[in-house]
């Protein structure tokens, strides 16, 4: 996902992307996001309700700050990922 619109670089939503690959019966589908894990919640939830296979995320620490570093700690990232599993939206992170 590129921004808060929830669209990929090609302009598809997560649900539209899944619809375009569904015929191949994927074992797993997932999201990689430049927004950071805390901003992925609605998109992960919608994909998990759409997909007929395992769902994963590759959540990163968001965009770098002005100094080129990242403000989120490993503990922050763990906390941001916890709701994905508490809500049973994911199989892997």
């Amino acid at each position: 996902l590129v921004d808060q619109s929830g669209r990929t670089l090609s302009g598809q939503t997560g649900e539209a992307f899944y619809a375009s690959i569904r015929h191949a019966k994927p074992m797993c589908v997932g999201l990689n996001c430049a927004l950071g894990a805390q901003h992925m919640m609605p998109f992960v939830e919608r994909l998990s309700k759409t997909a007929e296979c395992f769902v994963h995320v590759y959540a990163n620490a968001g965009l770098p700050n002005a100094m080129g570093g990242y403000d989120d700690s490993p503990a922050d990232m763990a906390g941001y990922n916890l709701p994905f599993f508490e809500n049973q939206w994911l199989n892997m992170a």
Side-chain angles (χ1 to χ4, degrees):
L1 302 175
V2 178
D3 59 30
Q4 288 288 53
S5 73
R7 296 188 179 272
T8 65
L9 285 173
S10 65
Q12 291 178 302
T13 63
E15 300 95 301
F17 173 74
Y18 181 74
S20 72
I21 64 167
R22 182 175 176 253
H23 70 280
K25 297 185 180 6
M27 181 175 75
C28 187
V29 65
L31 298 174
N32 180 10
C33 185
L35 302 174
Q38 70 273 30
H39 299 292
M40 294 176 68
M41 296 286 174
F43 312 115
V44 172
E45 180 181 13
R46 288 197 315 250
L47 182 60
S48 75
K49 290 178 179 177
T50 302
E52 300 165 329
C53 59
F54 294 123
V55 177
H56 79 276
V57 295
Y58 187 81
N60 60 32
L63 297 173
N65 62 27
M67 300 301 293
Y70 294 88
D71 298 325
D72 290 336
S73 70
D76 293 332
M77 291 298 297
Y80 297 145
N81 281 294
L82 191 59
F84 297 146
F85 293 100
E86 289 175 335
N87 290 297
Q88 300 180 351
W89 296 335
L90 294 182
N91 303 101
M92 298 177 270

